Amino acid sequence: MHLEERIEKSETKQFKVVFPNTLNDHETLFGGVAMKWMDEVAYITAVRFSRLKMVTISTDKIKFKHAIKPGTIAEITGKVVNMDKFKLDIQVEIWVENMHSYDRLKAVESVFTFAAINENGKLISLKDMRLEPEFN
């Protein structure tokens, strides 16, 4: 499988409704909840891409561009944007849609960096990825 195809097949999207239990005292989505959602999508993307055990090793500056209000739909997307021998970078964005209109905007973005580990928790090369998928 070519790298481009592998990247495309590993793109991940999750949707969440912003409910009151996820809000801060400003009545917008709590930043920690947004970061949790982003890390989860980044992790799923990294595993789907590599089919290895992956761990988060860093995040780029998380940019909160717009407040996320209750009663909106959040789409969290993850896509591989860079890979070297030991690290995998995942671009993660949160897009927000109004439930009752077609308004949509990018609210949060960052790059999450992952590394592959073995069963003993030791760093391994991404060259150990399976070359072919087990299924389509």
Side-chain angles (χ1 to χ4, degrees):
M1 179 186 313
H2 297 293
L3 183 61
E4 296 80 24
E5 185 180 1
R6 191 177 202 128
I7 289 170
E8 182 183 329
K9 287 184 177 229
S10 66
E11 285 184 37
T12 302
K13 296 180 181 187
Q14 281 188 357
F15 294 86
K16 308 273 189 182
V17 174
V18 180
F19 288 115
N21 66 328
T22 62
L23 303 180
N24 60 28
D25 61 334
H26 305 290
E27 297 295 316
T28 60
L29 183 69
F30 183 62
V33 171
M35 294 184 325
K36 176 181 182 261
W37 290 352
M38 294 172 81
D39 191 33
E40 182 178 288
V41 165
Y43 170 76
I44 293 168
T45 304
V47 170
R48 292 180 72 208
F49 177 82
S50 68
R51 299 301 171 172
L52 297 169
K53 292 181 179 186
M54 303 296 286
V55 293
T56 308
I57 59 172
S58 69
T59 63
D60 192 13
K61 191 181 296 182
I62 298 175
K63 298 174 187 115
F64 294 91
K65 299 167 152 289
H66 296 282
I68 301 174
K69 301 188 186 235
T72 56
I73 299 169
E75 176 185 10
I76 307 96
T77 63
K79 181 178 181 179
V80 173
V81 292
N82 191 43
M83 181 182 96
D84 65 24
K85 185 175 180 182
F86 292 103
K87 296 185 295 184
L88 189 62
D89 292 333
I90 312 293
Q91 174 74 39
V92 184
E93 300 172 343
I94 298 180
W95 290 82
V96 179
E97 299 176 6
N98 184 304
M99 283 188 168
H100 307 291
S101 74
Y102 293 102
D103 296 338
R104 177 179 164 87
L105 57 88
K106 187 189 313 182
V108 187
E109 65 183 6
S110 185
V111 173
F112 285 65
T113 302
F114 284 77
I117 58 171
N118 65 17
E119 58 279 345
N120 298 316
K122 301 294 183 192
L123 190 66
I124 61 172
S125 171
L126 290 172
K127 304 291 184 208
D128 294 334
M129 291 186 310
R130 293 184 189 134
L131 296 177
E132 295 297 324
E134 293 180 17
F135 56 87
N136 289 324

